[in-house]
Amino acid sequence: MNQKHFPIAALFALALLVLLAGCAQVVAPSGGARDEQPPRLDSLHSTANYQTHFEKQDILLIFDEFIQLHDPYNQIVISPPLSKRPEVKVEKYRRIRLRFDDEEELHPNTTYTIYFGEAIKDFTEGNAADLRFVFSTGDHIDSLAAEGRVVDAVTGQGVPDVLVMLYEAAGWEDSIPSRDLPLYFARTDAQGAYRLENLRRDSFRLFALKDANGNYRFDQSAELIAFSDSLVVSGRDSTGVESLPPLRLFAQEQPLLLLDRIQPRYGLLKLLFNRPPYELSESSFEPASAFICRKAEQDSLLLWYHSSDTAALQVILSGGDFSDTVSLQPKGRAEFLSDHSLGFRQTLPAVQEAPARGKTDAQGSRPAAVPLVQVQKQLPETPIVLEFDTPLKSFRDGLFLWERDSLPLASSPLISIDSADCRNLHIEHPWQEGSVYRLQLLPGAVEDVYGGRLQDTTRFAWRIEKRENLSSLHLKLSFPDAAQTYVLQLKQGGELLWEQSVSGVEEWEHRFAVLEPGKYKVVVIEDRNGNDCYDTGDYWKHRQPERLAEKVPEELRPNWEVEVVWKVEF
C-alpha cells in the first residue's frame, strides 16, 4: 500500500489557517448598496409568538443576519411590568435570548407584550427590527385596540415617529410619564397615525412623546408632548377598537428666565430672556420719572430711560409667574448727552448727485445740482413710516418740505408718533396713485427725548403704486362661539402683516383694500386667556395648547379682489 507523507511545515500551516478562521472578527462588508432592511425574525426556528397557556421559559429569537443589542434597559418594555428585570443577551451573533428571573412569577390568565423598541439592530447599518412578542398565560390573548393620530398643535399636520403610550389609570400621578415606563405603546407612522394593540379591558391615561433621548420618559423639558384630558377606556366599542380624538403635539412652555442685561449706551437697557417675554405686561422704574417707553422684540425687552442725575435706578418687572427687579447704574450720561444727535434706524434711500442744469451766471457758474433720491414704492391708503434710533419727543411740521410730482404739496400730511413703537413717525395722507412724493427733512425737524435732533437735511421719495397693480382681500368670518375672544392674523410667508383681536361677535367682516399680489394665509387663534397671543400647552398645569385654524385664499392677482367666506372650525 502506498502512503502519502505530508511535511510537518504543511500540517502546521493548515492548523494555523483553521485557528485564524475560528478567531475571525465580524466586520461590515465594504462596497455595494447601503443595507436599509432591518433584521427579519426566523419564526420557524424561534420561540413561537402569540402563544396561549404560556409557561415560564426562555424566549429565543433567531434572525436572518448578524445583530447587536442597543440600550436594552430602556428600549425593552414589558407590559404588564415584571417584578424582576429579565436577562437579555446576544448568542452566536444572530440570536436573542430572554431569560426570566428565577423568582419571577407570571400572573395567571394575563396577556404579556414584550416591546423591543429599537433594541435589536443589524450589525452593519444599525437598522432596528420592529418586533413585539406576545403571549398569554391563559386560554386567550387580549385583542382590544385603540387608534388615532398625533398632529402638530400649530400646523395640524400629522407628526411621524412619536411614541403614544398608555398608563394604568388607577393611582395616576402627573409625574408618572417622567419616571415610569408605559404599559403599552406604539409609534406613529408618516401620517401621524398609530394603533395600540393587545390591550386588556381597562381604563388608561394617554400620553404622547417625541422622545429625544430614547428612554420612553418625558425627562427633557424641550421634548414635544401631547396628552389626553379624558381616560381611554378599552372595550367600549363593539368592534373592540377605540377611535380616539387627535392628540395635539406641542413644546412645553418654558418658565420665563432673565438671561442677561445689556446697556449699549446711556438711556437704553436691553433685557435678554430665554423666550419672548409676552407676559411682562408691567415694567416700571424707580423713580418713575426716569421711564420713557418699552418695546418687545423677539426674546428681548428694550427699555428706554432718562434721569436727571447718575443715581442708581430700579427696574421692576412683573407678569404671569415672573417677577424680578433689576438694578441699573446710568453710566456715560454726560458724554452721551454732549454729542448725541438723532439718527435713523431704517436704511436710507440711495442719493446721487444730479448734473447741474440751467444757464451759467456772469461768473460762469451753473446752479447747484439737486441730489437725486432713489424712489421707493408705497401703497395707497397706508401710512409712510420713518424709523429713528431713539424715542421721539416732538417734530416741527414746518421743517417737513413736501412735493408732489415736483410741485409743492397743497395740504400737509398728518404726522404722529407711533404708539406701538416710540421711535417711529407715522405720516398719513390721501396719497394719489401714480404720483411721486418727495420729502426734505430739514435739520431740527425731529427731536428725541434726549434733546438730539437731525443735523443734516435728509431726502426721501415715494411713488404711490397704482391700484390696477394691486389686489384686495375681503374676509367674511363666522365664529363657533360668540362669547370667545379670537386673534386674527394675516400672514405672507413667515411674515405677520396684520393682527387684530375680536370678541363678543358671531360674524365678522374686514376688507384689505390694497395688498401686493401673491399668496397669503389667514390665521384664527382661539384666545382662551385673552392675552392677545397664541399660548402653547402646559402639561403640569393641565392646559392644552390653544387651538388654531388656518385658511389659504386663492392667490391674489393684480386688479382683482378675492372674497373669503369662512365658517371657522377648530
Side-chain angles (χ1 to χ4, degrees):
M1 178 181 295
N2 294 328
Q3 293 183 340
K4 295 183 179 179
H5 299 278
F6 291 93
I8 294 177
L11 291 173
F12 178 77
L14 180 61
L16 182 60
L17 286 173
V18 172
L19 179 62
L20 290 175
C23 298
Q25 287 186 321
V26 180
V27 296
S30 60
R34 177 184 174 87
D35 177 17
E36 297 182 353
Q37 293 296 323
R40 288 188 289 266
L41 183 68
D42 181 356
S43 56
L44 182 62
H45 298 96
S46 299
T47 303
N49 206 348
Y50 294 96
Q51 291 186 49
T52 56
H53 301 289
F54 183 90
E55 296 183 357
K56 193 172 76 170
Q57 59 183 283
D58 286 1
I59 296 174
L60 184 64
L61 305 174
I62 303 175
F63 294 88
D64 65 345
E65 60 178 311
F66 292 150
I67 56 171
Q68 58 180 320
L69 268 179
H70 167 69
D71 191 19
Y73 183 86
N74 287 310
Q75 292 296 322
I76 299 176
V77 179
I78 301 178
S79 172
L82 302 176
S83 60
K84 304 285 186 179
R85 178 169 289 275
E87 178 188 7
V88 183
K89 62 181 180 179
V90 178
E91 295 180 347
K92 298 183 179 180
Y93 303 115
R94 297 175 184 263
R95 300 182 177 187
I96 292 289
R97 184 178 296 276
L98 185 146
R99 174 166 291 169
F100 294 98
D101 189 270
D102 291 341
E103 298 180 4
E104 186 68 55
E105 294 185 5
L106 300 179
H107 300 296
N109 301 313
T110 300
T111 297
Y112 286 85
T113 302
I114 304 175
Y115 300 91
F116 284 90
E118 296 186 357
I120 303 173
K121 296 186 175 184
D122 64 29
F123 198 85
T124 55
E125 300 293 347
N127 300 309
D130 183 13
L131 177 63
R132 289 186 309 127
F133 190 89
V134 182
F135 63 87
S136 173
T137 56
D139 57 7
H140 74 280
I141 288 178
D142 292 334
S143 58
L144 299 178
E147 60 186 15
R149 287 186 78 219
V150 177
V151 299
D152 186 282
V154 175
T155 66
Q157 300 298 311
V159 185
D161 198 32
V162 175
L163 283 174
V164 182
M165 301 176 285
L166 288 178
Y167 301 84
E168 194 166 10
W172 172 258
E173 297 176 355
D174 289 342
S175 60
I176 284 178
S178 64
R179 71 169 195 256
D180 294 347
L181 294 173
L183 285 176
Y184 304 94
F185 78 89
R187 287 187 185 272
T188 58
D189 61 17
Q191 287 72 45
Y194 66 88
R195 183 181 174 92
L196 295 152
E197 298 182 301
N198 301 115
L199 307 182
R200 69 180 187 234
R201 188 179 298 274
D202 206 341
S203 297
F204 304 97
R205 287 287 184 179
L206 182 63
F207 191 89
L209 172 67
K210 188 72 170 176
D211 196 8
N213 55 357
N215 67 351
Y216 296 81
R217 295 175 179 87
F218 174 41
D219 57 358
Q220 294 189 12
S221 60
E223 289 177 318
L224 303 181
I225 60 170
F227 63 96
S228 175
D229 294 317
S230 56
L231 293 176
V232 173
V233 181
S234 58
R236 292 184 302 182
D237 193 283
S238 59
T239 65
V241 180
E242 295 293 322
S243 294
L244 304 178
L247 290 169
R248 295 187 296 134
L249 197 72
F250 64 91
Q252 175 82 1
E253 183 175 65
Q254 303 301 308
L256 186 64
L257 299 175
L258 177 59
L259 302 180
D260 198 5
R261 61 177 189 174
I262 301 173
Q263 289 180 255
R265 55 166 176 77
Y266 169 81
L268 174 60
L269 175 64
K270 185 175 184 179
L271 302 177
L272 304 179
F273 296 87
N274 61 322
R275 60 170 176 79
Y278 60 84
E279 67 264 60
L280 288 187
S281 56
E282 299 294 333
S283 54
S284 59
F285 277 67
E286 289 185 2
S289 58
F291 177 67
I292 297 173
C293 62
R294 50 174 276 163
K295 174 68 175 176
E297 291 186 348
Q298 298 181 342
D299 294 350
S300 302
L301 182 63
L302 305 180
L303 297 167
W304 286 273
Y305 65 91
H306 189 21
S307 60
S308 58
D309 53 38
T310 58
L313 305 174
Q314 299 291 319
V315 184
I316 302 166
L317 305 169
S318 63
D321 296 330
F322 182 90
S323 64
D324 199 356
T325 300
V326 177
S327 296
L328 171 65
Q329 186 69 45
K331 296 180 180 179
R333 180 180 184 276
E335 295 83 353
F336 173 78
L337 296 178
S338 65
D339 60 1
H340 169 65
S341 60
L342 182 62
F344 286 92
R345 196 168 78 257
Q346 68 197 93
T347 302
L348 297 179
V351 178
Q352 295 179 342
E353 289 295 330
R357 295 182 179 180
K359 298 180 179 180
T360 58
D361 57 17
Q363 287 74 34
S365 300
R366 292 182 181 274
V370 177
L372 296 178
V373 180
Q374 180 183 4
V375 179
Q376 305 172 73
K377 184 167 65 175
Q378 175 68 25
L379 299 182
E381 298 186 24
T382 58
I384 289 173
V385 180
L386 298 181
E387 300 175 346
F388 296 88
D389 58 3
T390 48
L392 303 179
K393 176 184 178 182
S394 62
F395 52 87
R396 298 172 63 184
D397 296 69
L399 299 181
F400 286 67
L401 304 184
W402 290 93
E403 288 184 357
R404 174 191 166 193
D405 297 331
S406 301
L407 297 175
L409 194 60
S411 59
S412 297
L414 177 63
I415 306 173
S416 61
I417 298 175
D418 186 358
S419 59
D421 191 332
C422 56
R423 299 168 294 176
N424 295 348
L425 280 183
H426 273 207
I427 305 174
E428 298 178 88
H429 191 72
W431 313 113
Q432 299 300 307
E433 300 175 41
S435 290
V436 174
Y437 290 80
R438 299 183 184 275
L439 168 64
Q440 286 189 68
L441 275 181
L442 300 182
V446 185
E447 182 177 347
D448 70 11
V449 295
Y450 307 108
R453 299 179 179 181
L454 291 176
Q455 299 297 309
D456 301 312
T457 298
T458 308
R459 292 176 171 84
F460 297 90
W462 298 272
R463 175 176 282 106
I464 309 305
E465 191 69 41
K466 294 183 178 180
R467 291 181 182 273
E468 63 189 37
N469 299 325
L470 301 172
S471 308
S472 300
L473 178 63
H474 192 178
L475 299 179
K476 296 181 178 180
L477 276 56
S478 57
F479 302 112
D481 184 359
Q484 179 64 56
T485 299
Y486 301 95
V487 176
L488 314 180
Q489 297 176 335
L490 182 67
K491 294 184 175 182
Q492 186 175 38
E495 183 182 2
L496 177 63
L497 303 179
W498 172 90
E499 186 175 54
Q500 180 178 324
S501 180
V502 299
S503 61
V505 296
E506 188 173 344
E507 305 286 337
W508 178 86
E509 187 173 345
H510 184 78
R511 182 174 181 268
F512 297 94
V514 286
L515 291 173
E516 295 275 8
K519 295 181 179 180
Y520 292 82
K521 180 169 63 176
V522 183
V523 180
V524 178
I525 301 170
E526 186 183 45
D527 188 18
R528 293 198 304 264
N529 59 359
N531 66 347
D532 295 334
C533 66
Y534 170 76
D535 291 287
T536 187
D538 192 321
Y539 170 68
W540 305 110
K541 295 180 180 179
H542 301 174
R543 188 185 73 206
Q544 294 285 354
E546 290 181 334
R547 297 187 297 178
L548 297 94
E550 296 182 349
K551 187 79 169 180
V552 178
E554 66 176 276
E555 185 171 353
L556 271 59
R557 294 172 289 165
N559 201 27
W560 194 262
E561 178 168 302
V562 172
E563 183 179 271
V564 175
V565 180
W566 182 18
K567 183 179 180 181
V568 178
E569 295 179 343
F570 297 99

